[in-house]
Amino acid sequence: RLEFLAKNEHEQWCEYKSELGWTYADEKSNENKTNPKLREWEALDEETRQFNINTYKNLPRLCSSERVGLKIVKA
């Protein structure tokens, strides 16, 4: 489930960045609008995929912090 969520989020991020004119390149450049992570989920390195998965893994804790004050409810 966590990988599904992370993959879906990554795909949406890629779509959004592409709509803004960003493209894939080996080096990130804000000036040239290039990013090495702007590629399919399966083509990402394991470290990047795991970072995205861990974001969702830690989401309940992050949301419940005093600064955010949200509660995730399973429907």
Side-chain angles (χ1 to χ4, degrees), residues 58-73:
N58 294 316
L59 195 56
R61 183 180 55 78
L62 295 170
C63 288
S64 67
S65 74
E66 290 181 21
R67 296 180 76 192
V68 178
L70 297 174
K71 181 177 179 181
I72 296 176
V73 179

Side-chain angles (χ1 to χ4, degrees), residues 13-63:
W13 175 82
C14 285
E15 186 177 319
Y16 174 70
K17 291 300 246 185
S18 294
E19 289 172 1
L20 294 176
W22 286 73
T23 58
Y24 169 82
D26 289 333
E27 302 243 350
K28 183 177 180 185
S29 167
N30 290 334
E31 182 179 318
N32 297 324
K33 290 189 172 183
T34 59
N35 192 312
K37 295 177 181 169
L38 194 56
R39 56 192 342 187
E40 292 182 8
W41 177 259
E42 292 76 14
L44 292 173
D45 60 88
E46 184 60 30
E47 182 179 347
T48 299
R49 284 193 305 246
Q50 196 58 53
F51 178 84
N52 291 345
I53 290 168
N54 285 340
T55 297
Y56 278 94
K57 185 177 183 179
N58 294 316
L59 195 56
R61 183 180 55 78
L62 295 170
C63 288

